[in-house]
Amino acid sequence: MDKSGDTLEDTIKKAKLGNQIAFSNLLDTFWNDVYGFQLKRTQNENDAEDISIQTFSKAFDKIASYDESFGFKTWLVTISKNIHIDLVRKRKRDVMETDGNGEAIKKVLDDAPTAEDQLITEQNLATLLQYIKKLKPHYQEVINLRYFQELSYADMAERLEEPVNNIKVKLLRAKKLLAEVIANRS
């Protein structure tokens, strides 16, 4: 399983205890399986990558609930499949709208921020930075590199001297933790 000679079961037990090296070993071991599964389903590299990142983030958040009577790869693929189904449903909701006659009509999706959105963004930037400062330094760093310096995952991995997959998962964790900090503001 890893350089220390641990079995998959040992690595999962360590991950359940919060061992970051165990998480990295699981990510390295099963990334290609999950990514390959999603690439076949989505036929889109970006979607497959995004879903794979979300899969590992969710799996690592919920690793305590993993039942050893099932295969770990099967558990990951099931999580991945459910995330993909949710994504497809969300996209259908975003694109389709039903009129009074029950006929589906396409909406025009406009992601461009309005003047009001820009004003709100500017007003909240200082508050957001305060929330970011409440995170651990390594999470602050990945958020800063990605969203403020606008570095690619590859550039971030090079600068931080970590694998790209670790950067992606760390960024997803940072975003989740930031969302929790914001939700718990008082």
Side-chain angles (χ1 to χ4, degrees):
M1 175 74 225
D2 63 30
K3 293 174 186 163
S4 68
D6 284 347
T7 64
L8 175 60
E9 293 79 19
D10 292 337
T11 304
I12 292 169
K13 285 178 186 172
K14 287 180 180 179
K16 284 184 174 186
L17 295 173
N19 183 306
Q20 292 298 314
I21 294 171
F23 285 127
S24 291
N25 288 336
L26 291 171
L27 178 74
D28 292 342
T29 301
F30 293 101
W31 174 265
N32 289 338
D33 295 320
V34 174
Y35 177 77
F37 172 77
Q38 280 304 327
L39 192 57
K40 287 178 187 173
R41 283 178 69 99
T42 64
Q43 308 263 315
N44 180 303
E45 290 179 4
N46 290 330
D47 285 347
E49 188 173 278
D50 289 344
I51 293 168
S52 298
I53 292 167
Q54 290 176 39
T55 298
F56 282 97
S57 177
K58 188 170 192 171
F60 292 164
D61 286 346
K62 305 286 185 189
I63 193 136
S65 69
Y66 169 66
D67 181 355
E68 290 83 7
S69 63
F70 299 100
F72 192 75
K73 178 179 168 183
T74 304
W75 185 64
L76 287 172
V77 168
T78 301
I79 292 170
S80 178
K81 184 170 59 173
N82 290 336
I83 290 171
H84 179 242
I85 290 167
D86 291 344
L87 178 69
V88 169
R89 287 179 182 152
K90 181 181 182 304
R91 285 183 179 166
K92 283 182 181 176
R93 273 195 316 268
D94 289 347
V95 175
M96 303 301 284
E97 178 179 307
T98 306
D99 66 10
N101 297 328
E103 292 183 30
I105 55 175
K106 298 226 180 208
K107 292 193 301 184
V108 176
L109 299 177
D110 184 8
D111 292 336
T114 64
E116 182 181 60
D117 291 337
Q118 289 175 332
L119 180 62
I120 291 169
T121 300
E122 290 171 11
Q123 290 175 342
N124 291 329
L125 183 59
T127 305
L128 178 62
L129 290 172
Q130 289 175 343
Y131 291 137
I132 291 171
K133 287 180 182 178
K134 292 182 180 182
L135 299 176
K136 291 182 180 178
H138 60 278
Y139 290 133
Q140 290 179 33
E141 186 174 28
V142 292
I143 287 176
N144 178 38
L145 292 174
R146 182 69 175 163
Y147 298 107
F148 294 100
Q149 295 183 31
E150 298 181 350
L151 294 183
S152 68
Y153 290 123
D155 291 339
M156 291 170 63
E158 187 177 311
R159 183 172 297 182
L160 298 175
E161 298 178 355
E162 291 186 39
V164 172
N165 293 340
N166 287 8
I167 296 296
K168 291 175 182 176
V169 171
K170 189 181 287 187
L171 183 62
L172 195 56
R173 284 185 190 158
K175 291 190 311 188
K176 281 186 173 188
L177 289 170
L178 181 59
E180 288 175 16
V181 167
I182 292 170
N184 294 329
R185 67 183 183 260
S186 42

